[in-house]
Amino acid sequence: MASQSESELVLPAARARFVFSARSDVGRERKVNEDSYLAQSPVFLVADGMGGHAHGDVASQTVVRVFEEHIARDAPSTPERVLDAIHSSNDAVRDLSAVDDYGTAVSGTTLAGIAFVDAGDDVGFHWMAFNIGDSRVYTWDGRTLAQLSVDHSAVQEMVDAGLISSDEAEQHPERNVITRAIGADESVDADVWLLPASGRHAFLICSDGLNKELGAAEIAQLLASYDGVAEPGRSIADVLVDAALARGGHDNVTVVSVESFLGNPEQDDADSTEDRSTGLHEHLGDTRPRSQG
């Protein structure tokens, strides 16, 4: 079981509080868990090692290690620091393929996550979401589960081109083929989003072992019905992982849930959650995601 954790950052004229849980399971059919996760303020991420490639478990663990080395704990990071961790992760995973024990096979992993960042005096604190591959970042407002990230997969490209529907993509024989991964190429192209952090936000980060077993409506229903008081010691991550296992657990499954509050300690501004234009996408240059349609 995954216990629920909390952390708090004291900021100038504000406080940031995070409540989070995380759990990873090998599933019912796999012998090795190639998923890894990091859940410690200010970074929360999931990495899913590429099945059939050299030591996917080592590749995903390498990403976690690089982020731990690059991002200071319990303090806001910066967009530049997060991007540096992503690129350094790509270099480190590519180095695995050069080790003799790995032969000529390529090591690789997906990466999806969020980081609490200080984007500068004129911009302020933001959540920075990032994604490479088909692990996902969702937002949750208590009623609606919305996929923030865009899958880098062959079937998503077919959906974008209008060749198949989203429902058909869920059953397509090529749904496991991803088009971007950490370690696959000399340079990595990450999609990045910046969301103002004020008020309350909730995120769900997962490997495809969750969304291939449960549809978005099912995940949303489980989130809406979760009652931590009625189920002491059982976190949101436990609920979702257990549901994926009950459905068959055909793959490794990893879930990280994060709820945040940023505001004045004297005033709980629960309504201040709307996104707004900040001009930061220009600051980040080529990190803007492609359109989700």
Side-chain angles (χ1 to χ4, degrees):
M1 292 293 181
S3 61
Q4 185 168 275
S5 301
E6 297 185 19
S7 64
E8 186 170 305
L9 306 183
V10 179
L11 309 169
R15 69 176 180 185
R17 181 171 175 263
F18 311 111
V19 179
F20 53 94
S21 64
R23 181 177 164 193
S24 184
D25 195 284
V26 68
R28 304 296 193 199
E29 297 185 359
R30 300 295 178 88
K31 295 182 179 180
V32 176
N33 191 351
E34 294 186 315
D35 288 359
S36 299
Y37 69 83
L38 178 62
Q40 62 183 36
S41 167
V43 178
F44 306 87
L45 65 83
V46 168
D48 179 357
M50 293 165 61
H53 290 249
H55 296 263
D57 56 335
V58 179
S60 65
Q61 292 163 13
T62 297
V63 169
V64 170
R65 175 181 58 79
V66 171
F67 266 80
E68 288 178 325
E69 292 172 351
H70 279 68
I71 308 297
R73 295 189 62 168
D74 297 325
S77 190
T78 65
E80 293 80 8
R81 196 67 176 166
V82 174
L83 289 174
D84 184 52
I86 291 172
H87 292 296
S88 294
S89 293
N90 191 68
D91 293 340
V93 172
R94 285 185 62 81
D95 287 344
L96 297 176
S97 302
V99 177
D100 290 342
D101 290 345
Y102 289 81
T104 58
V106 176
S107 295
T109 180
T110 69
L111 171 62
I114 59 173
F116 184 75
V117 299
D118 184 351
D121 293 339
D122 296 331
V123 180
F125 297 105
H126 279 63
W127 278 110
M128 178 178 177
F130 47 90
N131 178 59
I132 303 104
D134 63 354
S135 293
R136 292 180 175 179
V137 178
Y138 293 93
T139 60
W140 168 248
D141 65 4
R143 297 177 301 275
T144 302
L145 182 73
Q147 184 179 341
L148 177 62
S149 59
V150 179
D151 292 351
H152 301 141
S153 65
V155 295
Q156 183 61 49
E157 292 186 353
M158 295 179 195
V159 171
D160 292 344
L163 300 176
I164 61 175
S165 68
S166 296
D167 290 340
E168 290 172 331
E170 296 297 329
Q171 304 299 324
H172 197 280
E174 295 184 13
R175 63 186 181 276
N176 292 325
V177 179
I178 62 175
T179 55
R180 296 190 214 174
I182 292 284
D185 297 299
E186 185 174 346
S187 61
V188 62
D189 184 13
D191 282 353
V192 173
W193 296 259
L194 287 161
L195 308 173
S198 59
R200 294 187 183 276
H201 292 271
F203 299 93
L204 176 67
I205 311 162
C206 66
S207 63
D208 64 354
L210 178 71
N211 56 270
K212 285 182 178 177
E213 302 290 0
L214 304 173
E218 294 174 296
I219 297 172
Q221 183 177 10
L222 290 169
L223 292 173
S225 60
Y226 172 74
D227 187 343
V229 176
E231 301 178 273
R234 193 161 186 256
S235 69
I236 292 176
D238 289 323
V239 170
L240 294 175
V241 169
D242 287 343
L245 296 177
R247 188 59 60 84
H250 298 93
D251 197 356
N252 310 146
V253 55
T254 301
V255 172
V256 176
S257 69
V258 184
E259 183 177 3
S260 71
F261 166 75
L262 173 64
N264 189 304
E266 304 301 324
Q267 181 179 6
D268 187 343
D269 184 7
D271 297 324
S272 179
T273 59
E274 294 185 357
D275 197 357
R276 62 182 182 272
S277 175
T278 63
L280 270 182
H281 290 311
E282 296 178 4
H283 173 67
L284 288 171
D286 293 334
T287 65
R288 288 173 292 178
R290 58 194 174 91
S291 172
Q292 297 188 50

